């Protein structure tokens, strides 16, 4: 005889993980969605379990940092936000005629687009899952149509450490030859054909995340369309509000993003090591939140100050414990097995460390040179007196 039926099926691993992450975040709090900027920053520091878990659980890190007494300096001014929106609206006006013209001029992909003859499909749907499904359908239809199509703010899904992330690029262009191009619109100026290198680099890393998500959509089609590895960056020309564009090769950023996301410690493994009852509910007392945050290992580096809302908190903790990572990744890499500033100073002073270790030998040599320099300055100063 068949066994007794249970009242409910056992939870699947995916459902169990989502339930666990909701408990960590606060069951009645909405999850803060991951965006491309967060993923680019997450991929840049794959060893930080703290950020991986908090982002995977959808914790509002800005509110968490404020609760911990270390508010972040993140945020965009209302003026910059409005200026960016106004510029994007201008670029996409008239069915995206100017955007498509710039895209054709920079990367080609078919005959020159004719204003008014390009398609701009409606991508509205219920929820991010519905919008990502509607985007995938629109991409399939546009690829088969053989014309110019502009997808305005499509929704793409990307699996990150077992957690789905929904991404919204400024635009995706489908060319008549069936290839796809990511378009990123920024409000910083492009003067004499070039823009600020740091801002362009950040835009390239962000666009690479979109291109990676777009590749996932293409892989589910037969034959798979080509996702172009050149993205189109549209910016204001010189000191005007007129748009101009350049094509950026993001193959390097794509390779780095793939590798780093693949190396991310899975969120469920990090969550499984937490003490029972751990929560990052921002409504909890500050001391309880601090203990919860400290239960998750972090890998702080100065670069976190421009990419993570918890950077000030993690920097303070790293300095308190004397971690050499607070000095920067380059220095950390040069110090080998020495992980604290105390160990470095002791090795330089000769009280600890193996003299045969090249790192220890270099530190002692540097300390000796410093002593000689200080002694020389003292002697010359005394002679002048």
């Amino acid at each position: 005889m068949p066994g007794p039926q249970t009242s409910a099926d056992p939870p699947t691993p995916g459902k169990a993980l989502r339930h666990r992450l909701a408990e960590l975040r606060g069951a009645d709090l909405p999850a803060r969605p991951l965006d491309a900027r967060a993923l680019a920053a997450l991929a840049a520091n794959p060893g930080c379990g703290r950020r991986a878990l908090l982002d995977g659980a959808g914790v509002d890190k800005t509110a968490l940092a404020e609760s911990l007494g270390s508010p972040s300096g993140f945020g965009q001014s209302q003026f910059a936000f409005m200026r960016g929106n106004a510029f994007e609206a201008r670029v996409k006006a008239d069915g995206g005629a100017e955007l498509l013209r710039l895209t054709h001029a920079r990367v080609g992909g078919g005959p020159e687009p004719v204003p008014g003859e390009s398609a701009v499909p409606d991508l509205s749907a219920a929820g991010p899952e519905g919008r990502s499904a509607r985007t995938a359908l629109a991409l399939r239809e546009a690829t088969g149509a053989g014309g110019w199509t502009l997808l305005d703010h499509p929704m793409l899904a990307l699996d990150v450490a077992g957690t789905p992330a929904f991404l919204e690029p400024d635009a995706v262009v489908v060319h008549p030859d069936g290839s796809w191009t990511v378009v990123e619109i920024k409000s910083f100026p492009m003067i004499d054909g070039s823009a600020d290198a740091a801002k362009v680099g950040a835009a390239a890393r962000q666009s690479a995340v979109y291109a990676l998500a777009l590749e996932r959509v293409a892989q589910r089609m037969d034959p798979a369309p080509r996702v172009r590895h050149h993205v189109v960056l549209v910016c204001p020309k010189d000191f005007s509000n007129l748009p101009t564009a350049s094509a950026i090769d993001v193959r390097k950023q794509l390779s780095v993003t793939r590798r780093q996301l693949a190396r991310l410690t899975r969120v469920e493994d990090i969550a499984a090591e937490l003490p029972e009852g751990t929560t990052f509910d921002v409504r909890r007392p500050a001391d309880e939140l601090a203990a919860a945050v400290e239960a998750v290992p972090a890998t702080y580096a100065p670069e976190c100050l421009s990419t993570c809302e918890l950077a000030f908190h993690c920097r303070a903790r790293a300095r308190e414990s004397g971690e050499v990572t607070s000095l920067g990744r380059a220095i950390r890499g040069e110090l080998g097995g020495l992980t604290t500033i105390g160990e470095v100073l002791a090795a330089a002073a000769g009280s600890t460390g193996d003299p045969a270790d090249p790192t220890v030998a270099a530190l002692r040599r540097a300390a000796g040179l410093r002593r000689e320099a200080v002694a020389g300055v003292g002697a010359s100063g005394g002679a002048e007196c």
Side-chain angles (χ1 to χ4, degrees):
M1 293 180 63
Q5 295 184 346
T6 58
S7 58
D9 295 331
T12 62
K15 290 182 179 179
L17 174 60
R18 287 194 292 271
H19 178 71
R20 174 61 173 145
L21 294 178
E23 289 180 338
L24 291 172
R25 179 180 67 249
D28 58 339
L29 291 177
R32 189 175 184 87
L34 282 169
D35 58 15
R37 289 183 180 181
L39 284 178
L42 187 62
N45 193 2
C48 186
R50 182 175 297 170
R51 172 150 197 169
L53 180 63
L54 293 176
D55 281 347
V59 175
D60 186 344
K61 296 198 301 298
T62 299
L64 180 60
E66 292 175 354
S67 298
L68 293 171
S70 302
S72 69
F74 274 49
Q76 188 179 38
S77 71
Q78 189 66 22
F79 173 76
F81 184 75
M82 294 174 61
R83 181 182 60 188
N85 284 345
F87 178 69
E88 181 174 339
R90 177 166 187 166
V91 171
K92 294 179 178 177
D94 301 323
E98 181 65 10
L99 187 151
L100 292 173
R101 185 191 69 80
L102 289 169
T103 301
H104 174 265
R106 296 298 178 266
V107 296
E112 187 173 351
V114 178
E117 296 185 5
S118 303
V120 185
D122 180 12
L123 302 178
S124 59
E129 294 87 352
R131 288 186 60 200
S132 63
R134 180 68 188 90
T135 295
L137 178 60
L139 285 167
R140 183 183 297 273
E141 293 173 345
T143 303
W148 288 96
T149 301
L150 170 64
L151 274 66
D152 186 5
H153 284 287
M155 183 66 73
L156 305 172
L158 182 65
D159 184 82
V160 180
T163 302
F166 294 98
L167 314 172
E168 188 176 3
D170 291 329
V172 170
V173 171
V174 179
H175 301 252
D177 64 4
S179 60
W180 303 349
T181 295
V182 173
V183 178
E184 186 70 6
I185 302 173
K186 296 296 186 183
S187 60
F188 56 80
M190 194 175 294
I191 301 173
D192 293 334
S194 61
D196 181 89
K199 294 180 178 179
V200 172
R205 290 189 293 272
Q206 184 176 338
S207 299
V209 176
Y210 295 138
L212 184 60
L214 207 57
E215 287 180 352
R216 299 294 187 266
V217 180
Q219 289 168 2
R220 295 193 291 270
M221 297 173 60
D222 187 20
R226 177 166 67 100
V227 179
R228 292 175 175 266
H229 57 252
H230 279 86
V231 303
V232 175
L233 175 64
V234 181
C235 298
K237 182 179 181 180
D238 298 327
F239 301 101
S240 70
N241 201 36
L242 298 175
T244 186
S246 65
I248 304 175
D249 190 339
V250 296
R251 280 178 291 184
K252 178 180 179 181
Q253 290 83 358
L254 270 170
S255 177
V256 170
T257 302
R258 289 193 193 98
R259 183 171 65 253
Q260 300 293 52
L261 290 181
R263 289 174 53 193
L264 283 173
T265 304
R266 295 190 63 82
V267 172
E268 57 263 41
D269 295 337
I270 303 173
E273 297 178 358
L274 295 178
E276 188 70 26
T278 298
T279 179
F280 303 102
D281 188 332
V282 295
R283 298 165 298 186
R284 304 297 297 175
D287 56 347
E288 184 177 330
L289 286 174
V293 168
E294 292 306 312
V296 187
T299 305
Y300 170 78
E303 294 86 348
C304 297
L305 293 172
S306 61
T307 59
C308 183
E309 296 87 342
L310 284 178
F312 291 134
H313 173 82
C314 296
R315 180 180 65 176
R317 295 296 181 271
R319 287 176 173 177
E320 288 175 4
S321 57
E323 297 176 6
V324 295
T325 52
S326 63
L327 304 176
R329 291 196 180 100
I331 295 177
R332 171 67 185 88
E334 294 289 338
L335 293 175
L338 304 176
T339 59
T340 68
I341 295 175
E343 291 178 351
V344 173
L345 294 176
S351 56
T352 61
D354 182 3
D357 185 336
T359 301
V360 175
L363 286 170
R364 293 181 181 177
R365 174 61 177 160
L369 292 173
R370 180 182 181 279
R371 286 193 296 270
E372 292 176 5
V374 170
V377 170
S380 61
E384 290 176 0
C385 293

